[in-house]
Amino acid sequence: MPWETVHERMLAGLHERGYEDLIAPHLTVLQYPGPEEMRPSDLATRTRMTKQALNYLLGQMEELGYLERVQDSVDQRFRRIRLTPRGRAASVVMREIVSEVEAEWSQKLGSRRFGELRDLLARLSDGSGSLEKRTPKPDGAAGTRGDGSLPASD
């Protein structure tokens, strides 16, 4: 449910800020850490999409001016994804929206309880599923990756 809320707010916020042509599936392509310099096949694996579905989205986003697919400089058999200035700007806006949502939730829950929520979510997303108690960070804050998003693991 929190992811759905963030996803809906992100799409609405992007539309409000001039990115009306983005649709919900495009957010999967742009989600942190972004597709920059990835091979489409690797991005398909990361996003758990079929190669065909991802290439369809990449084609749409290329037409809309958010990214381009360029020849791999090392292996000419492959292509790499590069965000355009518009794509990079949309990614920045997405991080800003996530920060806004987190600030609201922190205010509603209190900083200590929000830090606990972030820590629990980070533990669930680290792949182990372990909810064993960790040593709390100073002031009860959970670590971030510098862009306001949760780390994959601590």
Side-chain angles (χ1 to χ4, degrees):
M1 194 162 108
W3 169 243
E4 289 175 11
T5 300
V6 171
H7 201 257
E8 289 168 5
R9 288 275 304 276
M10 197 177 303
L11 191 57
L14 283 161
H15 290 172
E16 290 168 4
R17 290 169 170 96
Y19 299 94
E20 301 93 2
D21 50 0
L22 287 174
I23 59 173
H26 295 156
L27 301 184
T28 303
V29 173
L30 293 173
Q31 74 185 356
Y32 186 85
E36 192 70 29
E37 293 299 322
M38 289 189 77
R39 291 180 180 167
S41 60
D42 295 335
L43 183 59
T45 299
R46 186 178 87 190
T47 59
R48 297 183 187 122
M49 286 185 176
T50 65
K51 292 176 191 176
Q52 294 83 357
L54 179 68
N55 276 314
Y56 179 76
L57 289 175
L58 293 176
Q60 286 181 335
M61 296 179 76
E62 201 165 22
E63 286 179 23
L64 295 170
Y66 289 95
L67 59 84
E68 58 185 352
R69 290 176 277 189
V70 298
Q71 206 68 42
D72 187 310
S73 61
V74 177
D75 190 337
Q76 297 297 308
R77 296 174 298 166
F78 298 105
R79 296 176 84 56
R80 298 248 177 211
I81 300 166
R82 285 213 187 113
L83 292 177
T84 63
R86 182 167 175 79
R88 284 189 293 280
S91 294
V92 169
V93 169
M94 289 172 66
R95 286 192 296 275
E96 290 170 359
I97 293 166
V98 168
S99 294
E100 292 167 9
V101 171
E102 288 182 342
E104 289 173 20
W105 289 356
S106 181
Q107 186 168 358
K108 286 180 183 178
L109 296 174
S111 60
R112 185 185 62 76
R113 289 179 66 202
F114 181 69
E116 290 172 2
L117 173 64
R118 288 184 66 151
D119 187 51
L120 289 170
L121 292 172
R123 286 188 231 172
L124 287 172
S125 71
D126 74 4
S128 71
S130 173
L131 293 179
E132 294 296 317
K133 184 83 173 147
R134 294 184 186 179
T135 306
K137 304 223 183 290
D139 300 331
T144 64
R145 294 187 284 211
D147 66 350
S149 62
L150 290 174
S153 62
D154 281 328

